[in-house]
């Protein structure tokens, strides 16, 4: 694995989670796991065009490193009450 690629994926996952797109995804997901799957899929699709040589393990590692930030963003957009 390439550490620079894993770090870039982590940054992308954190940015997507804080982005209005990530916020909209959070509102429609029933669980954090479902939310993480949608974020991962969005990153995977983007990398298909930008970095087709990216390994699945790099995507998994990058998203895993971003989990804590993604969870905070997800929980911030859950309905209150």
């Amino acid at each position: 694995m390439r550490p620079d690629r894993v770090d870039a994926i982590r940054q992308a996952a954190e940015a997507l989670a804080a982005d209005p797109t990530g916020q909209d995804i959070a509102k429609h997901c029933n669980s954090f796991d479902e939310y993480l799957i949608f974020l991962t899929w969005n990153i995977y699709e983007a990398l298909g065009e930008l970095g087709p040589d990216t390994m699945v393990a790099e995507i998994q590692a990058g998203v895993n490193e971003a989990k804590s930030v993604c969870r905070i963003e997800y929980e911030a957009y859950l309905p209150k009450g």
Side-chain angles (χ1 to χ4, degrees), residues 1 4-5 13 17 21-22 24 27 32-34 40-41 43 46 49 57 61 66 69 74-75 77-78:
M1 279 198 294
D4 60 324
R5 186 69 59 99
T21 300
D24 192 49
K27 292 173 187 173
F32 177 69
D33 289 336
E34 182 182 8
T40 302
W41 185 252
I43 290 168
E49 297 174 17
V69 172
Y74 171 73
E75 290 174 356
Y77 296 103
L78 290 177

Side-chain angles (χ1 to χ4, degrees), residues 1-53:
M1 279 198 294
R2 296 163 287 191
D4 60 324
R5 186 69 59 99
V6 172
D7 189 54
I9 293 167
R10 177 194 57 77
Q11 292 176 28
E14 291 173 354
L16 179 58
D19 186 80
T21 300
Q23 295 167 10
D24 192 49
I25 291 170
K27 292 173 187 173
H28 293 93
C29 289
N30 296 317
S31 69
F32 177 69
D33 289 336
E34 182 182 8
Y35 173 71
L36 210 54
I37 289 168
F38 277 101
L39 289 182
T40 302
W41 185 252
N42 276 279
I43 290 168
Y44 177 78
E45 284 186 324
L47 286 172
E49 297 174 17
L50 301 173
D53 63 332

